[in-house]
Amino acid sequence: MPAPALVAASSVVGLLVVAAYAGGVLLPYVVNDLHHLSHADLTSGAHDPKWLWTAGDSALGALVHLAGVCAAVLGWLVTAPAAVVSAFALRSAATRRSTRGVLLHLVVLALLVSATVLRFTPLGVALVTWILD
């Protein structure tokens, strides 16, 4: 079993990356009604993310946009190892028959795996292309 400090640190950092991706990429994608576009239209460059909500609104919006860009490009380098650590912690909690621990690690693992896999789907690739525009 990984050390509890390693499990906590990797889970927190991984979930921060997931939150940055959700707030800086997925939320603007949906709020600006870009989810109705095809992937080709999204990546065409016609919808510049720097002028859409949240990036163009304020300094805080620009920071959220920057965090989303970093999470979209490099986030999988954090979420993939954090998911592995969480999987080992889940196995350990299951061995100890800790219901609360199993549920906690199962939710964290599901979020981390989902964020990692999303990056490599056609939608994830289109979102990275769009956000880097």
Side-chain angles (χ1 to χ4, degrees):
M1 169 171 151
L6 174 65
V7 172
S10 67
S11 296
V12 167
V13 170
L15 291 176
L16 285 174
V17 169
V18 171
Y21 187 76
V25 178
L26 294 178
L27 189 61
Y29 171 69
V30 172
V31 168
N32 291 305
D33 286 331
L34 300 177
H35 58 285
H36 297 295
L37 301 175
S38 68
H39 294 175
D41 289 339
L42 180 66
T43 59
S44 69
H47 306 282
D48 192 356
K50 292 183 289 296
W51 304 115
L52 299 175
W53 183 88
T54 66
D57 287 350
S58 65
L60 179 61
L63 286 175
V64 169
H65 176 73
L66 178 63
V69 169
C70 293
V73 175
L74 300 173
W76 68 274
L77 293 172
V78 175
T79 57
V84 171
V85 171
S86 185
F88 281 113
L90 174 63
R91 180 175 169 253
S92 176
T95 303
R96 291 190 321 267
R97 299 186 191 272
S98 168
T99 305
R100 191 176 358 173
V102 167
L103 289 175
L104 175 69
H105 293 301
L106 193 60
V107 168
V108 170
L109 181 62
L111 286 170
L112 293 172
V113 168
S114 298
T116 304
V117 169
L118 175 64
R119 169 63 178 87
F120 298 103
T121 63
L123 174 62
V125 172
L127 286 173
V128 170
T129 304
W130 167 68
I131 205 73
L132 288 176
D133 182 18

